[in-house]
Amino acid sequence: MMTLRAYLDHNATTPMRPQAIAAMGEVMREVGNASSVHAFGRAMRAQVDRARTSIAALVGAAAADLVFTSGGTEANNTVLQAAGRRRLIASAVEHDSVRLAADGIVPAPVNGDGVIDLGALQRLLAASDEPALVSVMLANNETGVIQPVAAAARIAHAAGAVVHCDAVQAAGKLEIDMAALGADYLTVSAHKLGGPQGVGAIALRPGVAFAPMLRGGGQERGRRAGTENVAGIVGFGVAAKIALRELPRMAALAAWRDKMERSLAQLAPDAHVFGCGAARLPNTTCVAMPGVAATTQLMALDLAGIAVSAGAACSSGKVRPSHVLAAMGASDADCASALRISLGWTTQADDIERLVAAWGDLNRRLSPANRPAAA
Amino acid sequence: MNAINGLRRNDQPIYLDYQATTPMDPRVLEAMMPYFTTKFGNPHSRSHSYGWEAEEAVEKARAQIARLIGGDEKEVIFTSGATESNNLAIKGVAHFYKDRRNHIVTLVTEHKCVLDTCRHLEQEGFEVTYLPVQQNGLVDLEQLRAAITDKTVLVSVMAVNNEIGVIQPLKEIGALCREKGAFFHTDAAQAVGKIPLDVQEMNIDLMSISGHKIYGPKGIGALYVRRKPRVRLVALIDGGGQERGFRSGTLPTPLCVGLGEACEIAMKEMESEATQLRKLRDRFLKGIQAQLPDTYVNGDMEQRIPGNLNISFAYVEGESLIMGIKSLSVSSGSACTSASLEPSYVLRALGVEEELAHTSLRIGFGRFTTEHEVDTAVDDIVRHVSRLRQMSPLWEMVQEGVDLKSIQWSAH
Amino acid sequence: MSYSEKLLDHYENPRNIGSLDKTAEDVGTGLVGAPACGDVMKLQIKVSADGLIEDAKFKTFGCGSAIASSSLVTEWVKGKTLDEAGTIKNTDIARHLALPPVKIHCSVLAEDAIKAAIADYRAKAEKKVTEAGEAAGEQAAAAE
């Protein structure tokens, strides 16, 4: 069944690493609340601490400065209120879990490639004396475009702001050093890098302000209440360790992705790859097949056994234009025909060949460019 | 001492801490596994079958949860656990209705996360009444009636206490809340799957549910939110708008499936399990009381889940006892605060004297507890309590006929 | 929270459990702590004619660290003079047993217990001297 289907939607969720599943399976056969002092509880605590070290290493943080959450969305929501700043500025292409986490977030514009406009950020910061929080993602989930976080952080810090970096899509795909990025808060999610759904983390610069969102119980040094999801955390730890070890393999993935884009361009010279002028994640392509609705493309590809997505997958079923592509100045027509193809650790060369073949076939049959009479 | 369903190895202590967490039922784990491996899709992916099969599994789980509590599946929201559910229910209701009503009623014996959330709301300007409980741990309904005013937006009373296992009169509280026009939230983390619950019959408007207290996974919980009459909430976590906008974030499919399966199993086995647990508990208590004088059960014995005991072993300090009974895993006070030296605030609320509160153990029995384990536990506890009493100056004084209250203790 | 081997040894094999006759003249008793606080220590010393602590006994209601602290102290004071025993510091006890920070108060209690026992013995001895002195005075007065 797996061989018949080609899963190219790794930015939505990526299959778990078998080693992570195995480690979780063991934990789930054990019993224990990591806060209990008896032997069961202490064994759980030790497992949590080991995972904490692995995940901290993935982002260049200290283990003591890592707070586990139920996922990237909770992590992002928490950070936006934890800093205690009322003035919030976020790049216009942030994930909804940042963009909608609070009222009155001021969007910082991006250029046509989806890269934050640093001059505009500087002007926004200068518009008021009130200390702000600036949120800039490391890499975009829809386009894979990498943001100049370090440069944005320098500007933000000079204006007295603190900086949050949403690294949910970047973790495991790029080398991350939160100090080098200048991030005060950095958020990650397990299921985007081969760990389980239901776990995320916030890495903190030592000493940064932090008001908890979930209260009661005192877990995570009082920064996030609730019984620890030990199995999930352990799975996250194992996946983080593997992801860090396999970062060098990302270059090969980028080569496949680039070859795929060249093939698509040959098949349809009018196809447009979003963010192609910027640095991007090695695994992501966001491509528009002009004149063919994304939903039509998705259905046809699904019938061919190929799983990709249109825009962000995390919306609750409503078909709405992508705020990311809109912020990049894409036309409605371009937005409506954009597909996200995202590769991952299980991707094989023939997955890509099948995608290219099916996409080419689709383009031949449906693209207005190939049906001059219909125009 | 064979391994039970493969859950316990011979070298492991006997687990009697089922209120802190429960082992996962192997059937639950089995149901979850495919969603870690082949069926790994994001349930919110609308564009391919990976997403659809994950979504289908999540919706099945939602229905399983709803059935267990007599609700509709549309009224069940997945969360990361009971702590989040409690935070969401209380803050969510308080914030949504704050312009009309700003008063919350709760009990002093609630779980820490309810109390901390209420204290936080007080800082924001809400008014909170923390009602005392009676000596048996139950709320006085007349006191509750008197506490609810026309400004009361929410009454939050736990279904079953995590330390002493007592069951609050939910149906009566629900009726009272409905009559007074206040919403009724209950933290049912310790109750779901242990006692019959019916949100209709009990007029429960919001109910917090935990996965890992009912043989399901950690990291998942649910909040029941009534639709008729409709309860509205301000979300705690915003973003993708999942869970009808009440709770954004990718749903962890395997965990949802695990919680659903745990509810399904509980629904089928609750009754027989309760009978079995009552038998084990009575056997335990009889064994202890036959051999040890001066032991006291805290909390009502009738209105109580069958899997819980909380016993004071007078003149023996609880932590030293736990250190002795190494072959048993039990807890003193609440697991969440186990590193602190304070005696349990729940026992204090019952009027248990501090010297007795320090001698208390919480003993939790569950699905995988055996008669043999109970007997071993009784033997172990009796032996160590006797040994520690021989070592206890208080026991010695009492044997000599000294009234401990007559002594001027140095405040330390 | 994990405990040191020394601490576990004192908890599992406590030294010198028991009681001495608290009414005896050569016995000093210290009773410190309070049941409501979760720990009470009773520590007794028996002092020889030449002023050495020849025996020590304890009973403790408290956590494992409290039991170990009092057990250790009874070992330490044996064979010491009262002055020497009075110099035992809680920090020495805490270090020896590697007490975790939340358990430091147990060592404080043990130090208090030994001090209280010494004080009780000295009070008794002083009373005895006074009584003896008074008795001698009375005798002298009677002789006049």
Side-chain angles (χ1 to χ4, degrees):
Chain A
M1 189 174 177
M2 289 285 282
T3 49
L4 286 176
R5 298 202 280 184
Y7 185 76
L8 293 170
D9 198 11
H10 289 264
N11 286 12
T13 194
T14 196
M16 277 184 68
R17 299 277 184 176
Q19 301 95 317
I21 297 175
M24 289 178 71
E26 272 179 41
V27 175
M28 287 189 289
R29 285 182 187 91
E30 301 283 333
V31 55
N33 183 320
S35 292
S36 299
V37 284
H38 47 62
F40 291 103
R42 289 198 305 271
M44 290 282 159
R45 161 83 34 229
Q47 298 244 37
V48 168
D49 288 344
R50 255 199 306 281
R52 199 186 295 279
T53 306
S54 304
I55 297 152
L58 183 71
V59 298
D65 299 316
L66 200 80
V67 182
F68 286 114
T69 67
S70 68
T73 297
E74 182 190 325
N76 285 340
N77 270 253
T78 303
V79 167
L80 262 67
Q81 57 91 44
R85 303 282 169 104
R86 267 180 311 175
R87 188 166 161 238
L88 303 167
I89 299 171
S91 92
V93 294
E94 294 299 305
H95 189 264
D96 280 350
S97 59
V98 169
R99 232 163 47 96
L100 306 177
D103 293 331
I105 297 177
V106 178
V110 297
N111 67 18
D113 273 322
V115 177
I116 186 169
D117 179 339
L118 293 173
L121 174 65
Q122 197 154 22
R123 285 190 293 280
L124 283 172
L125 282 160
S128 157
D129 287 338
E130 192 177 335
L133 176 138
V134 173
S135 188
V136 181
M137 70 201 322
L138 187 46
N140 185 269
N141 48 308
E142 294 183 39
T143 61
V145 168
I146 297 168
Q147 298 294 343
V149 174
R154 273 193 297 277
I155 292 168
H157 285 150
V162 289
V163 175
H164 165 230
C165 177
D166 171 358
V168 165
Q169 282 298 341
K173 297 172 190 145
L174 297 177
E175 202 179 312
I176 301 177
D177 177 348
M178 74 179 283
L181 289 173
D184 299 292
Y185 307 86
L186 185 136
T187 43
V188 289
S189 165
H191 79 99
K192 307 283 192 196
L193 53 80
Q197 294 163 352
V199 205
I202 307 169
L204 306 173
R205 180 174 62 75
V208 78
F210 194 87
M213 182 167 77
L214 295 184
R215 290 167 188 279
Q219 291 93 345
E220 296 296 289
R221 299 172 179 232
R223 297 184 290 211
R224 201 277 187 181
T227 294
E228 294 88 341
N229 174 5
V230 181
I233 289 168
V234 167
F236 190 2
V238 171
K241 213 166 174 171
I242 297 170
L244 187 60
R245 201 174 60 215
E246 297 201 347
L247 268 182
R249 287 190 53 188
M250 281 294 149
L253 211 57
W256 280 0
R257 191 266 319 263
D258 294 344
K259 186 164 167 257
M260 173 184 79
E261 289 185 357
R262 283 195 298 275
S263 304
L264 298 183
Q266 276 171 6
L267 289 166
D270 59 341
H272 171 61
V273 173
F274 292 93
C276 59
R280 281 182 296 150
L281 288 177
N283 78 316
T284 311
T285 291
C286 185
V287 60
M289 185 192 289
V292 183
T295 45
T296 310
Q297 299 181 52
L298 287 173
M299 268 188 278
L301 290 175
D302 185 63
L303 286 175
I306 298 162
V308 297
S309 75
C314 290
S315 57
S316 53
K318 268 181 284 180
V319 179
R320 52 180 179 177
S322 150
H323 72 273
V324 174
L325 303 183
M328 291 162 70
S331 69
D332 285 356
D334 265 2
C335 286
S337 63
L339 278 196
R340 177 181 69 183
I341 304 160
S342 49
L343 285 48
W345 69 273
T346 58
T347 303
Q348 302 291 324
D350 64 339
D351 293 332
I352 295 171
E353 284 163 21
R354 288 177 53 217
L355 177 274
V356 170
W359 192 87
D361 182 48
L362 193 64
N363 184 61
R364 234 176 352 265
R365 284 191 290 119
L366 298 179
S367 170
N370 294 326
R371 290 183 297 157
Chain B
M1 284 277 271
N2 58 336
I4 299 128
N5 297 350
L7 281 171
R8 189 164 67 82
R9 300 188 303 264
N10 285 336
D11 57 341
Q12 283 187 316
I14 296 171
Y15 190 75
L16 292 175
D17 200 9
Y18 277 83
Q19 274 82 55
T21 190
T22 55
M24 267 179 61
D25 192 303
R27 293 169 287 183
V28 171
L29 184 53
E30 201 183 316
M32 288 167 65
M33 280 322 270
Y35 296 92
F36 283 120
T37 52
T38 52
K39 303 177 176 183
F40 60 82
N42 181 327
H44 314 293
S45 291
R46 291 305 175 112
S47 54
H48 48 70
S49 48
Y50 290 91
W52 301 331
E53 70 188 0
E55 189 195 15
E56 201 180 310
V58 165
E59 294 315 313
K60 181 186 166 200
R62 205 189 295 281
Q64 288 170 316
I65 299 163
R67 255 201 312 280
L68 181 61
I69 59 170
D72 185 277
E73 60 197 67
K74 290 191 198 70
E75 298 174 312
V76 174
I77 292 163
F78 284 105
T79 67
S80 66
T83 294
E84 185 186 327
S85 297
N86 285 335
N87 271 257
L88 173 59
I90 298 170
K91 284 182 202 164
V93 165
H95 287 148
F96 191 90
Y97 296 96
K98 65 170 185 262
D99 296 332
R100 277 171 272 173
R101 290 171 172 230
N102 68 344
H103 177 231
I104 295 166
V105 178
T106 189
L107 301 187
V108 291
T109 53
E110 290 295 310
H111 191 271
K112 270 252 165 4
C113 68
V114 167
L115 296 174
D116 279 7
T117 301
C118 285
R119 266 182 224 119
H120 186 65
L121 287 173
E122 276 185 289
Q123 286 166 14
E124 289 180 21
F126 291 90
E127 274 182 47
V128 181
T129 302
Y130 302 91
L131 281 180
V133 294
Q134 305 171 84
Q135 212 168 1
N136 58 6
L138 299 176
V139 65
D140 179 332
L141 288 166
E142 282 316 302
Q143 268 188 10
L144 178 63
R145 171 183 291 278
I148 304 173
T149 70
D150 57 359
K151 281 283 167 201
T152 307
V153 63
L154 185 73
V155 173
S156 181
V157 174
M158 70 201 319
V160 168
N161 185 273
N162 49 311
E163 291 188 39
I164 55 174
V166 299
I167 305 166
Q168 299 292 348
L170 299 175
K171 194 177 168 189
E172 289 78 1
I173 298 170
L176 196 53
C177 291
R178 190 54 58 88
E179 175 195 326
K180 297 264 199 167
F183 293 121
F184 176 28
H185 165 245
T186 186
D187 170 4
Q190 299 284 355
V192 171
K194 316 280 166 65
I195 55 169
L197 292 170
D198 185 331
V199 292
Q200 305 306 345
E201 188 198 322
M202 294 169 167
N203 282 312
I204 292 166
D205 297 308
L206 301 125
M207 179 192 284
S208 302
I209 299 166
S210 164
H212 75 101
K213 308 280 191 195
I214 55 169
Y215 310 94
K218 295 182 179 65
I220 189 79
L223 180 65
Y224 164 83
V225 184
R226 178 176 290 283
R227 277 159 71 98
K228 277 179 203 163
R230 188 165 172 210
V231 182
R232 307 183 69 174
L233 298 174
V234 174
L236 214 51
I237 300 175
D238 289 304
Q242 291 94 345
E243 299 301 275
R244 295 194 286 130
F246 283 135
R247 205 280 186 181
S248 292
T250 298
L251 282 178
T253 313
L255 300 185
C256 297
V257 167
L259 176 54
E261 187 67 21
C263 286
E264 177 94 40
I265 295 170
M267 186 136 174
K268 284 190 208 128
E269 302 182 357
M270 189 186 328
E271 218 179 301
S272 57
E273 197 167 293
T275 312
Q276 167 69 4
L277 288 178
R278 198 165 291 116
K279 218 174 85 195
L280 291 174
R281 181 188 72 185
D282 292 348
R283 185 183 180 92
F284 179 89
L285 194 57
K286 226 174 97 191
I288 293 289
Q289 288 176 335
Q291 298 174 76
L292 291 174
D294 300 312
T295 56
Y296 310 96
V297 177
N298 300 306
D300 199 276
M301 266 314 273
E302 295 308 314
Q303 294 304 313
R304 187 187 200 108
I305 53 164
N308 168 278
L309 280 175
N310 188 303
I311 306 182
S312 297
F313 298 90
Y315 319 119
V316 172
E317 198 274 339
E319 261 188 82
S320 68
L321 180 52
I322 288 182
M323 220 166 138
I325 47 176
K326 280 194 298 286
S327 63
L328 313 178
S329 283
V330 299
S331 108
S332 68
S334 159
C336 294
T337 56
S338 51
S340 82
L341 299 165
E342 286 290 294
S344 146
Y345 65 92
V346 172
L347 296 186
R348 212 177 320 167
L350 264 57
V352 175
E353 288 173 19
E354 298 230 7
E355 44 260 60
L356 264 186
H358 280 290
T359 72
S360 305
L361 291 194
R362 177 180 73 181
I363 295 146
F365 309 94
R367 187 171 291 166
F368 305 109
T369 310
T370 63
E371 223 167 68
H372 180 78
E373 287 180 322
V374 165
D375 293 346
T376 309
V378 168
D379 287 351
D380 238 30
I381 291 174
V382 168
R383 199 171 64 227
H384 282 276
V385 168
S386 305
R387 171 180 110 95
L388 290 164
R389 279 184 175 168
Q390 286 313 311
M391 230 189 265
S392 166
L394 305 178
W395 176 254
E396 183 184 61
M397 288 178 198
V398 170
Q399 301 311 304
E400 287 168 359
V402 176
D403 177 6
L404 294 180
K405 294 213 169 24
S406 70
I407 296 181
Q408 284 277 326
W409 298 102
S410 54
H412 191 72
Chain C
M1 195 156 42
S2 63
Y3 293 107
S4 69
E5 274 178 35
K6 280 179 187 163
L7 188 151
L8 291 172
D9 180 42
H10 274 282
Y11 168 77
E12 275 161 20
N13 311 295
R15 333 286 200 257
N16 308 309
I17 294 182
S19 296
L20 301 168
D21 177 5
K22 62 173 177 280
T23 59
E25 286 178 351
D26 56 351
V27 169
T29 301
L31 181 67
V32 297
C37 302
D39 27 34
V40 175
M41 277 181 200
K42 187 186 78 165
L43 199 140
Q44 296 182 301
I45 50 173
K46 184 166 189 256
V47 183
S48 67
D50 51 356
L52 289 180
I53 298 176
E54 57 180 22
D55 199 5
K57 296 277 182 203
F58 85 96
K59 285 203 172 187
T60 290
F61 163 81
C63 61
S65 302
I67 290 171
S69 297
S70 30
S71 166
L72 176 68
V73 164
T74 57
E75 258 191 344
W76 277 1
V77 298
K78 275 202 214 176
K80 284 199 165 71
T81 65
L82 293 178
D83 285 344
E84 283 165 356
T87 62
I88 292 173
K89 287 271 165 303
N90 85 288
T91 46
D92 302 332
I93 302 167
R95 203 175 308 123
H96 187 86
L97 296 173
L99 291 183
V102 292
K103 295 295 181 188
I104 297 300
H105 71 282
C106 297
S107 63
V108 175
L109 204 62
E111 183 190 324
D112 289 354
I114 183 66
K115 292 216 163 93
I118 293 169
D120 180 58
Y121 172 80
R122 284 193 165 137
K124 270 188 192 170
E126 220 164 276
K127 203 172 151 207
K128 197 172 124 194
V129 169
T130 320
E131 279 168 5
E134 279 165 5
E138 277 162 25
Q139 269 175 11
E144 271 175 17

